[in-house]
Amino acid sequence: MARIGVESGPITWQQAERRCEWKGGHLAVIESSTENFLLYSAMKAKGYENAYFGFSDESSEVNWKWVDGTSTAYTNWHSGEPNNQDGIEHYAMFYEKFQDGTWNDADGIIDAGCAYICEWDDPTDKISQGDSFTDQQLRIIAKDLGVPDDLNVEIKQYPKTYWKAAGLWDIYVEVLLDGKVIASGSFDVETGEMGRNLYIYSH
Ligand SMILES: [Ca+2]
Ligand SMILES: [Ca+2]
């Protein structure tokens, strides 16, 4: 059984997935009724009634996919769900109205009273946070800024104190291609929160 963690927002589903990746995991993937029961119980034990995990049809309506590409026949939708209400429901979740642990699709806004569930397939993958980013974290950051994986870029990070004067962010990251900055962002080391203060990459 993979190790799991239940965390709270307010953030979006996409940010939640990035935070899970940040820590070396991903939003939880549910492959059996046993696992569903364990995750649902873990959420309730943490005091939450609603929680998102890693199942979405955001890229193609009705084509539900797990974040890590897992292919499994298991689903546990509540009767009448997913209903894609108002055309904006693309993220599966445990829902307070369905006390049997069945799923609802909802809008992916993780606000007060809502949580998201991360999963680590290998607990030893967990990245420790510090005063600078690891190469792996920098690659995740570049990807999050929209830089394709196959682009041969240089990624620079500036010290933790860089933005202390502003009192907002701790580390500033620049992505360079042929010596030119094509993307940048500033990051709170504690939370992994990113401020996208510049993004100029385009095809
Ligand atoms: Ca949908
Ligand atoms: Ca729904």
Side-chain angles (χ1 to χ4, degrees):
M1 178 66 193
R3 192 164 60 87
I4 61 155
V6 180
E7 303 183 13
S8 62
I11 55 173
T12 65
W13 185 90
Q14 289 83 1
Q15 288 174 316
E17 168 58 13
R18 196 170 61 72
R19 283 199 198 173
C20 293
E21 287 182 20
W22 186 263
K23 296 173 179 179
H26 51 74
L27 282 169
V29 171
I30 306 175
E31 297 180 75
S32 69
S33 55
T34 301
E35 195 172 5
N36 195 76
F37 172 76
L38 290 171
L39 292 182
Y40 184 72
S41 304
M43 175 197 75
K44 298 279 273 192
K46 291 269 189 176
Y48 291 99
E49 293 287 328
N50 303 280
Y52 285 93
F53 41 88
F55 201 37
S56 159
D57 76 339
E58 66 176 355
S59 60
S60 170
E61 183 59 31
V62 190
N63 184 15
W64 288 85
K65 289 180 180 169
W66 292 102
V67 285
D68 69 342
T70 290
S71 151
T72 170
Y74 180 77
T75 60
N76 192 32
W77 295 112
H78 192 269
S79 174
E81 305 291 348
N83 63 354
N84 199 37
Q85 192 168 323
D86 299 328
I88 57 167
E89 295 192 327
H90 308 314
Y91 309 95
M93 60 155 353
F94 294 129
Y95 188 35
E96 59 192 12
K97 290 186 181 173
F98 306 154
Q99 289 288 324
D100 56 357
T102 52
W103 306 346
N104 174 41
D105 61 335
D107 62 9
I109 305 298
I110 303 168
D111 52 14
C114 188
Y116 59 97
I117 305 173
C118 296
E119 175 182 32
W120 290 270
D121 296 321
D122 177 357
T124 60
D125 280 349
K126 194 170 189 299
I127 300 168
S128 63
Q129 295 177 10
D131 290 355
S132 63
F133 296 122
T134 63
D135 288 346
Q136 184 182 356
Q137 286 175 315
L138 287 172
R139 282 198 297 274
I140 292 171
I141 288 165
K143 190 175 175 183
D144 203 54
L145 286 165
V147 178
D149 278 337
D150 56 359
L151 211 56
N152 187 21
V153 295
E154 179 190 2
I155 309 174
K156 285 185 180 174
Q157 59 182 321
Y158 293 84
K160 186 178 180 182
T161 51
Y162 192 77
W163 286 108
K164 277 298 184 193
L168 291 173
W169 306 102
D170 286 328
I171 294 184
Y172 181 66
V173 172
E174 283 182 346
V175 182
L176 297 96
L177 180 65
D178 299 330
K180 284 185 180 174
V181 177
I182 58 169
S184 74
S186 48
F187 297 82
D188 184 316
V189 177
E190 298 291 314
T191 64
E193 191 79 36
M194 178 175 75
R196 187 177 303 200
N197 58 352
L198 177 65
Y199 169 48
I200 57 175
Y201 177 83
S202 63
H203 281 285

Coordinates of all heavy atoms in Angstrom, one line a residue, residues 7-13 15-16 47-52 93 95-96 106-116:
E7 N -4.2 16.7 2.5 CA -3.8 18.1 2.8 C -4.9 19.0 2.4 O -5.8 18.6 1.6 CB -2.5 18.4 2.0 CG -1.4 17.5 2.4 CD -0.1 17.9 1.7 OE1 0.0 19.0 1.1 OE2 0.8 17.0 1.7
S8 N -4.9 20.2 2.8 CA -6.0 21.1 2.6 C -5.6 22.3 1.7 O -4.4 22.6 1.5 CB -6.6 21.7 3.9 OG -5.6 22.4 4.5
G9 N -6.5 23.0 1.1 CA -6.3 24.1 0.2 C -6.2 25.4 1.0 O -5.8 25.4 2.2
P10 N -6.7 26.5 0.5 CA -7.3 26.6 -0.8 C -6.4 26.7 -2.0 O -5.5 27.6 -2.0 CB -8.1 28.0 -0.7 CG -7.3 28.8 0.2 CD -6.6 27.8 1.2
I11 N -6.6 25.8 -2.9 CA -5.8 25.8 -4.2 C -6.6 25.1 -5.2 O -7.7 24.6 -5.0 CB -4.5 25.0 -4.0 CG1 -4.7 23.6 -3.5 CG2 -3.5 25.7 -3.2 CD1 -3.4 22.8 -3.5
T12 N -6.2 25.1 -6.4 CA -6.9 24.4 -7.5 C -6.4 23.0 -7.6 O -5.3 22.6 -7.1 CB -6.6 25.1 -8.9 OG1 -5.2 24.9 -9.2 CG2 -6.9 26.6 -8.9
W13 N -7.1 22.2 -8.3 CA -6.7 20.7 -8.5 C -5.4 20.7 -9.2 O -4.5 19.8 -8.8 CB -7.8 20.1 -9.4 CG -7.6 18.6 -9.6 CD1 -8.2 17.6 -8.8 CD2 -6.9 18.0 -10.7 NE1 -7.8 16.4 -9.3 CE2 -7.0 16.6 -10.5 CE3 -6.1 18.4 -11.8 CZ2 -6.4 15.6 -11.3 CZ3 -5.5 17.5 -12.6 CH2 -5.7 16.1 -12.4
Q15 N -2.9 22.8 -9.0 CA -1.9 23.2 -8.0 C -1.6 22.0 -7.0 O -0.5 21.8 -6.6 CB -2.3 24.4 -7.3 CG -2.2 25.7 -8.1 CD -2.8 26.9 -7.4 OE1 -3.8 26.8 -6.8 NE2 -2.1 28.0 -7.5
A16 N -2.7 21.4 -6.7 CA -2.6 20.2 -5.8 C -1.8 19.1 -6.4 O -0.9 18.6 -5.7 CB -4.0 19.7 -5.4
G47 N -10.7 14.6 9.4 CA -11.7 15.6 9.6 C -12.3 16.3 8.4 O -13.0 17.3 8.5
Y48 N -12.1 15.7 7.2 CA -12.7 16.2 6.0 C -13.8 15.4 5.5 O -13.9 14.2 5.7 CB -11.6 16.3 4.9 CG -10.5 17.3 5.2 CD1 -9.3 16.9 5.8 CD2 -10.8 18.7 5.0 CE1 -8.3 17.9 6.1 CE2 -9.8 19.6 5.3 CZ -8.6 19.2 5.8 OH -7.6 20.1 6.1
E49 N -14.7 16.1 4.8 CA -15.9 15.4 4.2 C -15.8 15.4 2.6 O -16.5 14.7 2.0 CB -17.2 16.1 4.6 CG -17.5 16.0 6.0 CD -18.0 14.6 6.4 OE1 -18.6 14.0 5.6 OE2 -17.7 14.2 7.6
N50 N -14.9 16.2 2.1 CA -14.7 16.3 0.7 C -13.2 16.2 0.4 O -12.4 16.9 1.0 CB -15.2 17.6 0.1 CG -16.7 17.9 0.5 OD1 -17.5 17.3 -0.2 ND2 -16.9 18.6 1.5
A51 N -12.8 15.5 -0.7 CA -11.4 15.4 -1.0 C -11.3 15.0 -2.5 O -12.0 14.1 -3.0 CB -10.6 14.5 -0.2
Y52 N -10.4 15.7 -3.2 CA -10.1 15.3 -4.6 C -8.9 14.3 -4.6 O -8.1 14.3 -3.7 CB -9.6 16.6 -5.3 CG -10.8 17.5 -5.7 CD1 -11.2 18.5 -4.9 CD2 -11.5 17.3 -6.9 CE1 -12.2 19.4 -5.2 CE2 -12.6 18.1 -7.2 CZ -13.0 19.1 -6.4 OH -14.0 19.9 -6.7
M93 N -14.0 13.3 -6.9 CA -13.8 13.6 -5.5 C -14.7 12.8 -4.6 O -15.7 12.3 -5.1 CB -14.1 15.1 -5.3 CG -15.5 15.4 -5.6 SD -16.5 16.7 -4.9 CE -15.6 17.4 -3.6
Y95 N -17.3 13.1 -1.8 CA -18.3 14.2 -1.6 C -19.1 14.0 -0.4 O -19.5 12.9 -0.1 CB -19.2 14.2 -2.9 CG -20.1 15.3 -3.0 CD1 -19.8 16.6 -2.6 CD2 -21.4 15.1 -3.6 CE1 -20.7 17.7 -2.8 CE2 -22.3 16.2 -3.8 CZ -21.9 17.4 -3.4 OH -22.8 18.5 -3.6
E96 N -19.3 15.1 0.4 CA -20.0 15.0 1.7 C -21.4 14.4 1.6 O -21.9 13.8 2.5 CB -20.0 16.4 2.3 CG -20.8 17.4 1.5 CD -20.5 18.9 2.0 OE1 -19.7 19.1 2.8 OE2 -21.3 19.8 1.5
A106 N -16.6 17.2 -9.8 CA -16.8 18.6 -9.4 C -15.8 19.5 -10.0 O -15.1 19.1 -10.9 CB -16.7 18.7 -7.8
D107 N -15.8 20.8 -9.6 CA -15.1 21.8 -10.4 C -13.6 21.9 -10.1 O -12.9 22.8 -10.8 CB -15.8 23.2 -10.3 CG -15.7 23.7 -8.8 OD1 -15.1 23.0 -8.0 OD2 -16.4 24.7 -8.5
G108 N -13.1 21.2 -9.2 CA -11.6 21.2 -8.9 C -11.2 22.4 -8.0 O -10.0 22.5 -7.9
I109 N -12.1 23.1 -7.5 CA -11.7 24.2 -6.5 C -11.6 23.6 -5.1 O -12.6 23.0 -4.6 CB -12.8 25.3 -6.5 CG1 -13.0 25.9 -7.9 CG2 -12.3 26.4 -5.5 CD1 -11.8 26.5 -8.5
I110 N -10.4 23.6 -4.6 CA -10.2 23.0 -3.3 C -10.1 24.1 -2.2 O -9.1 24.8 -2.1 CB -8.8 22.2 -3.3 CG1 -8.9 21.1 -4.4 CG2 -8.6 21.6 -1.9 CD1 -7.6 20.5 -4.7
D111 N -11.3 24.4 -1.6 CA -11.4 25.5 -0.7 C -11.6 25.0 0.8 O -11.4 23.8 1.0 CB -12.4 26.5 -1.1 CG -13.8 25.8 -1.4 OD1 -13.9 24.6 -1.0 OD2 -14.6 26.4 -2.0
A112 N -12.1 25.8 1.6 CA -12.3 25.5 3.0 C -13.2 24.2 3.1 O -14.2 24.1 2.5 CB -12.9 26.6 3.8
G113 N -12.8 23.3 4.0 CA -13.6 22.1 4.2 C -13.3 21.0 3.2 O -13.9 19.9 3.2
C114 N -12.4 21.3 2.2 CA -12.1 20.4 1.2 C -10.6 20.0 1.3 O -9.8 20.8 1.8 CB -12.4 21.0 -0.2 SG -12.3 19.8 -1.5
A115 N -10.3 18.8 0.9 CA -8.9 18.4 0.9 C -8.5 17.8 -0.4 O -9.3 17.6 -1.3 CB -8.7 17.4 2.0
Y116 N -7.2 17.4 -0.5 CA -6.7 16.6 -1.7 C -5.8 15.5 -1.1 O -5.2 15.7 0.0 CB -6.0 17.5 -2.7 CG -4.8 18.2 -2.2 CD1 -3.5 17.7 -2.4 CD2 -5.0 19.4 -1.6 CE1 -2.4 18.4 -2.0 CE2 -3.8 20.1 -1.2 CZ -2.6 19.6 -1.4 OH -1.5 20.3 -1.0

